[in-house]
């Protein structure tokens, strides 16, 4: 067991920590000139890349990216909750396995194929517009393909299973005796959900949010495939520095900034949630103590 | 579904709510349908529980006692019969509309709420105003000596403490009936005994109706005003602990309640005969089968005599195979012919015990009024 844990750490260090460390080092370097050896010149370390990374258009793209990721995460949550609830609390153990399998089934098809499938579906000659036309709603001349809306569709579609799975696990683990106890104490079905099921599923909502939001913010393939030129997200910008720009040190600096931003967002969200709980708890205990003392 | 006639419906309905029995089960049945077929877990159960009574449902696991409790709570639908709570037919009401609370076997405290919020849960569902709510929650917690733990989480408490919180949560709304589903089963012996006293005290002080489910006869007897013994989904006998102990209705009740002796006898010309020794028996008309009957006697109702003595009353003879000293009382195991073992409990200071060593021949006598004839 200990050997296994050691192996896990080694694996993690080798394939995650080491590349991240290399990126960190690169971000302080300078892109090698055409005649120089290697990708990044590390003889003159400095913060120049970071200053350049903060310049236009990074800020604008970053704001759009955060907006996209927040909105798509919220949509994922809204869609995932009823689905996870149905899977975890309404299905029998056997049909539960089948439906969970269906949730992850798209992952068995190549990512590019699925995205191209969406492009065909959303295109002016595709199924969506065909259906809308058939219903008498003639909107052929507006295409949502290659817009932010298409990016949103792609993001929600791609990350939805990552929200459903942890949420379904948490919802399934809620002891049904607790729901019976609430019922027994006078709570209607909606009140049982509001006061017991939903608060107890918060850890699943938080896990789903983090699992979906973090990779979404850095995603560059989905925006490129679905949004084209108008669907630019921060990940695309970073990727283009590594590929077209051939400026690895600048790309590394942008990546590091993105990581720091994500850490900051997650930490702030965590502090916010626990902080509110702590303050509320303190206030209530004090009020109770005062009352009980008199 | 049930063949039970509802002749006493009018009587139940006409009784004023205040004096109506807390719970009336009228021919209640429950069938569980699984992949392997239907199984009747509660079969045509009729039972009346009075207000302010400490009532126990006693029986081995699988006898339907917990299902009965859950049907009273409204957590389980009935498949036949009616349930009256406080004189009103509430058979079709959901659990949250019934003025009945349950203490679950593993407490079922809400882990995401403080002890205070757990206890306040029922009051909040009744929209009790904030000031009164605090007062009542803290009073309920004080009643179970948990007032200093109001802001703790249930996971920070020991099993016994969680048990107390669960109790406070169920009594704070002053329900018509409090249902307790083996609430002491998870506690160790010492804690269980103190909780038994605590429960009795609470029930007396609050004058609530308690319906207590247990498989532990000693527990049921120590606490209850009346006990209902259940076997395989049916009610076997209802009565005070004394009645059940002294006049058990069936062999099942005798074995389930305390220690019992069964002495096989045969009937010869209207006289019960134990082979090879004859015994006189009373109320021979009780014996349904003429040639295969058991005499039931409690160990402490048998008298032990040394040697082969003659007596005017019933007697059996045998030899001592074992003796167990338990403080004030000593139990002697006597083997009769046909390899039937009988236990005799005597005062440890009794003079005849001195000679009752292993292999000694002894005669056992009893008073006919202490014995019951049972079908074999």
């Amino acid at each position: 067991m200990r050997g296994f844990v050691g192996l896990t750490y080694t694996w993690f260090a080798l394939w995650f920590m080491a590349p991240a460390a290399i990126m960190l080092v690169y971000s302080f370097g300078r892109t090698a000139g055409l005649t120089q050896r290697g990708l990044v010149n590390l003889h003159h370390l400095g913060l120049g890349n970071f200053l350049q990374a903060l310049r236009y258009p990074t800020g604008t793209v970053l704001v759009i990216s955060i907006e996209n990721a927040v909105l798509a995460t919220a949509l994922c949550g809204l869609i995932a909750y009823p689905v996870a609830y149905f899977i975890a609390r309404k299905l029998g153990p056997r049909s539960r396995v089948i439906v969970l399998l269906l949730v992850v089934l798209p992952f068995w098809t190549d990512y590019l194929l699925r995205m191209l499938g969406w492009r065909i579906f959303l295109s002016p000659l595709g199924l969506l517009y065909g259906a809308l036309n058939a219903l008498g709603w003639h909107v052929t001349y507006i295409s949502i393909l290659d817009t932010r809306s298409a990016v949103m569709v792609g993001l929600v579609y791609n990350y939805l299973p990552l929200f459903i799975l942890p949420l379904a696990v948490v919802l399934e683990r809620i002891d049904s005796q607790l729901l019976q106890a609430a019922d027994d104490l006078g709570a209607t079905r909606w009140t049982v959900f509001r006061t017991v099921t939903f608060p107890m599923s918060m850890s699943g909502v938080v896990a789903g949010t983090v699992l979906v939001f973090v990779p979404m913010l850095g995603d560059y393939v989905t925006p490129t495939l679905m949004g084209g030129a108008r669907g630019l997200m921060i990940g695309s910008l970073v990727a283009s520095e590594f590929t077209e720009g051939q400026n690895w040190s600048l790309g590394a600096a942008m990546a590091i900034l993105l990581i720091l931003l994500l850490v900051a967002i997650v930490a702030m969200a965590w502090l916010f949630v626990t902080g509110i709980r702590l303050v509320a708890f303190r206030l209530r205990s004090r009020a109770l103590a005062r009352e009980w003392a008199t | 579904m049930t063949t039970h006639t509802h002749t006493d419906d009018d009587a139940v309905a006409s009784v004023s709510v205040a004096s109506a029995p807390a719970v009336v089960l009228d021919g209640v049945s429950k069938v569980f349908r699984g992949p392997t077929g239907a199984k009747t877990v509660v079969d045509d159960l009729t039972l009346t529980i009075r207000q302010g009574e400490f009532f126990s449902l006693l029986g081995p696991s699988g006898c339907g006692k917990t299902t009965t409790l859950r049907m009273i709570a409204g957590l389980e639908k009935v498949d036949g019969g009616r349930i009256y709570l406080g004189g009103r037919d509430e058979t079709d009401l959901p659990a949250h509309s019934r003025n009945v609370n349950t203490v679950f076997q593993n407490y079922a405290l809400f882990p995401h709420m403080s002890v205070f919020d757990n206890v306040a849960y029922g009051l909040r569902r009744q929209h009790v105003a904030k000031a009164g709510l605090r007062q009542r929650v803290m009073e309920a917690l004080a009643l179970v000596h948990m007032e200093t733990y109001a802001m703790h989480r249930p996971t920070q408490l020991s099993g016994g403490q969680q048990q107390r919180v669960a109790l406070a949560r169920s009594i704070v709304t002053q329900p018509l009936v409090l249902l307790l589903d083996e609430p002491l089963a998870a506690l160790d012996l010492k804690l269980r005994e103190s909780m038994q006293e605590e429960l009795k005290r609470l029930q007396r002080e609050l004058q609530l109706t308690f319906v207590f489910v247990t498989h532990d006869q000693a527990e049921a007897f120590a606490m209850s005003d009346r006990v209902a013994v259940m076997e395989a989904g049916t009610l076997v006998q209802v009565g005070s602990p004394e009645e059940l102990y002294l006049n058990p209705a069936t062999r099942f009740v005798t074995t389930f309640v305390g220690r019992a002796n069964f002495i096989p006898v045969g009937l010869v010309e209207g006289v019960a005969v134990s082979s090879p020794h004859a015994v006189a028996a009373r109320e021979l008309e009780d014996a349904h089968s003429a040639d295969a009957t058991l005499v039931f006697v409690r160990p402490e109702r048998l008298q032990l005599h040394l040697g082969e003595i003659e007596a005017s009353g019933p007697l059996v003879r045998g030899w001592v195979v074992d003796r167990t000293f338990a403080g004030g009382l000593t139990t002697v195991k006597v083997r009769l012919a046909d390899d039937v073992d009988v236990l005799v409990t005597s005062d440890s200071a009794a003079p005849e015990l001195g000679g009752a060593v292993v292999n000694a021949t002894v005669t056992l006598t009893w008073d006919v009024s202490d014995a019951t004839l049972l079908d074999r």
Side-chain angles (χ1 to χ4, degrees), chain B residues 7 29 39 45 49 51 69 80 93 95 130 138 147 213 240 264 276 290 302 312 319 365:
Chain B
T7 45
S29 298
K39 185 175 181 281
L45 185 70
I49 299 167
Q51 279 194 15
L69 197 79
L93 282 188
K130 215 171 182 180
M138 294 314 280
E147 65 272 31
V213 157
S240 66
L302 286 172
S312 56
W319 62 95
T365 62

Side-chain angles (χ1 to χ4, degrees), chain A residues 175 177-189 191-192 194-197 199-200 277 281 284-285 287-288 291-292, chain B residues 70 73 75 95-96 100-102 104 106 108-113 116-117 121-122 124-125 134 138-139 142 147 150-151 169:
Chain A
D175 184 0
Q177 196 152 66
L178 294 175
L179 311 182
Q180 290 179 4
D183 184 9
D184 188 61
L185 290 164
T188 57
R189 275 176 67 183
T191 311
V192 172
R194 189 173 55 80
T195 57
V196 182
T197 312
M200 286 194 72
R277 262 198 210 152
F281 179 80
R284 298 206 42 208
S285 341
L288 263 181
E291 203 149 304
W292 201 237
Chain B
R70 290 172 59 82
L75 295 168
H96 57 84
V100 169
N101 286 348
T102 309
F104 291 88
N106 48 8
L109 294 174
F110 304 123
H112 61 296
M113 294 181 196
F116 182 94
D117 288 335
Y121 195 87
R124 292 211 170 107
R125 303 289 81 79
R134 280 210 177 141
M138 294 314 280
E139 275 173 12
E147 65 272 31
M151 290 318 282
R169 183 176 73 171

Side-chain angles (χ1 to χ4, degrees), chain A residues 107-126:
Chain A
F107 282 139
W108 295 0
T109 314
D110 183 66
Y111 170 78
L112 279 173
L113 275 180
R114 284 182 284 139
M115 285 296 99
L116 286 175
W118 271 105
R119 283 192 69 88
I120 294 166
F121 179 73
L122 295 176
S123 78
L125 296 171

Side-chain angles (χ1 to χ4, degrees), chain A residues 46 48 59 65 67 79 91 103 108 139 150 156 168 171 174 261 280 289:
Chain A
S65 305
E67 278 174 14
I79 300 169
L91 291 180
V103 167
W108 295 0
V139 285
V156 171
L171 280 167
I174 296 175
L261 180 76

